[in-house]
Amino acid sequence: MNATLTEYRIVGSCNGLLCILHYQNIIFQLWNPSTRISKKLPEISNPNSGVWNFGFGWVESTNEYKVFVTVVHYYDNSKVGKVYSSKTKSWKTIELSGYLRVSWGRGVFAGGKLYWKNGHDKVIIFWDLKSEVFGRIEHPFDQDGFVGVLGGFLCVLCFNYQIRGFRVWVMKESWEKVVTLSHLLELLQPPLVKGLNGEILVNYGSTVVVVYDCRDNVFRNLKYCSYCEDTGFSSYENCVHSLSYQVYVESLVSPEDL
């Protein structure tokens, strides 16, 4: 596939597999970086369509991987939901119901569901991979925030005006506040990983990953960007490429077996 790096999106990471989307042509691939084995999924696009939102996850009870995507037809602005199943090895069309309002972007996978932030509403939209039913849950008590996954659970990073910083909430039986990042005004994205020593990995802006120490409220930059090295940027601060970060765990799962 002849394309530049900026034409690709990471749809999601699950059980050692990455789902990659060539955004312009709407071509999906499953790839295991550990074994370097990849598999191209059947094409679903046509010349007059685009993608609004997408996600990738796994149904544990059936050992089934699914890719979800909303395809928009430009000629009449109509939208259809498409789902790829590793069991049938094909795409099918599903009802989007009344939950689709805005462009959701990439969904995050946790607990058998894909989650999207619903625009500026304090509502999170989810799609259950097993039942293939949509639903919604309310945001926690802070302001509108970003949706992510922390420790295998759905999390939300919310800005709080009183502390002029961020709070991270995790959904278990109910919303639980796990950390406060006070006196911080810069734009953050949802945390990626929380370590046993009280540190969490946070996506800062579009090109930087930082480590935040919850014990003493200190940030440490991870000053590395392979794209900057490849393109000759002098430092990661000057990199204009919007990077996409995903938590990845090595496995021997082969895309060819799906």
Side-chain angles (χ1 to χ4, degrees):
M1 186 186 299
N2 295 321
T4 64
L5 183 62
T6 55
E7 294 176 11
Y8 289 96
R9 302 289 187 275
I10 299 178
V11 177
S13 173
C14 184
N15 297 342
L17 294 176
L18 290 179
C19 183
I20 310 294
L21 167 64
H22 182 259
Y23 201 78
Q24 191 172 25
N25 295 329
I26 318 182
I27 296 175
F28 291 86
Q29 283 186 315
L30 299 181
W31 176 46
N32 187 327
S34 298
T35 62
R36 309 204 174 192
I37 296 176
S38 64
K39 176 183 179 180
K40 179 181 174 182
L41 302 187
E43 295 187 22
I44 59 173
S45 61
N46 64 60
N48 295 309
S49 64
V51 171
W52 263 26
N53 59 292
F54 40 81
F56 172 61
W58 177 57
V59 182
E60 182 177 6
S61 61
T62 57
N63 192 28
E64 182 180 9
Y65 292 84
K66 292 186 178 181
V67 180
F68 174 90
V69 61
T70 299
V71 178
V72 182
H73 301 297
Y74 294 137
Y75 56 86
D76 62 358
N77 204 34
S78 62
K79 309 168 190 67
V80 295
K82 294 285 187 178
V83 177
Y84 175 84
S85 166
S86 64
K87 290 291 186 182
T88 64
K89 296 180 173 55
S90 62
W91 293 92
K92 70 176 181 180
T93 301
I94 66 167
E95 280 290 331
L96 293 175
S97 70
Y99 289 104
L100 181 62
R101 295 183 182 177
V102 296
S103 176
W104 298 338
R106 181 178 64 197
V108 299
F109 176 69
K113 298 180 177 67
L114 288 169
Y115 295 91
W116 294 270
K117 173 187 172 185
N118 193 35
H120 296 292
D121 296 340
K122 293 185 68 175
V123 173
I124 298 170
I125 302 299
F126 69 82
W127 184 69
D128 190 302
L129 273 73
K130 183 177 181 180
S131 64
E132 299 189 348
V133 172
F134 284 97
R136 65 179 69 197
I137 58 176
E138 296 293 326
H139 265 270
F141 311 107
D142 288 76
Q143 302 295 321
D144 185 21
F146 298 97
V147 177
V149 177
L150 188 61
F153 295 97
L154 172 70
C155 77
V156 176
L157 180 74
C158 297
F159 184 78
N160 184 282
Y161 288 100
Q162 293 181 338
I163 65 171
R164 296 180 69 79
F166 291 88
R167 284 177 174 152
V168 179
W169 298 83
V170 169
M171 170 58 82
K172 295 184 179 179
E173 296 296 328
S174 59
W175 287 111
E176 300 178 11
K177 184 177 67 176
V178 294
V179 66
T180 298
L181 290 71
S182 58
H183 309 297
L184 187 68
L185 301 180
E186 290 85 353
L187 179 63
L188 293 179
Q189 301 294 327
L192 300 174
V193 179
K194 183 177 182 181
L196 297 176
N197 58 356
E199 293 183 335
I200 61 173
L201 209 62
V202 182
N203 186 2
Y204 171 78
S206 62
T207 60
V208 183
V209 173
V210 297
V211 175
Y212 173 73
D213 193 323
C214 305
R215 297 165 298 185
D216 51 17
N217 196 33
V218 172
F219 283 90
R220 183 176 76 254
N221 289 346
L222 298 183
K223 298 184 178 182
Y224 177 75
C225 171
S226 60
Y227 185 81
C228 297
E229 286 190 350
D230 295 339
T231 54
F233 285 105
S234 59
S235 67
Y236 69 91
E237 290 91 346
N238 298 324
C239 178
V240 296
H241 176 61
S242 180
L243 299 177
S244 179
Y245 300 95
Q246 284 284 306
V247 176
Y248 171 78
V249 179
E250 290 183 326
S251 80
L252 296 178
V253 177
S254 175
E256 293 181 339
D257 296 335
L258 304 181

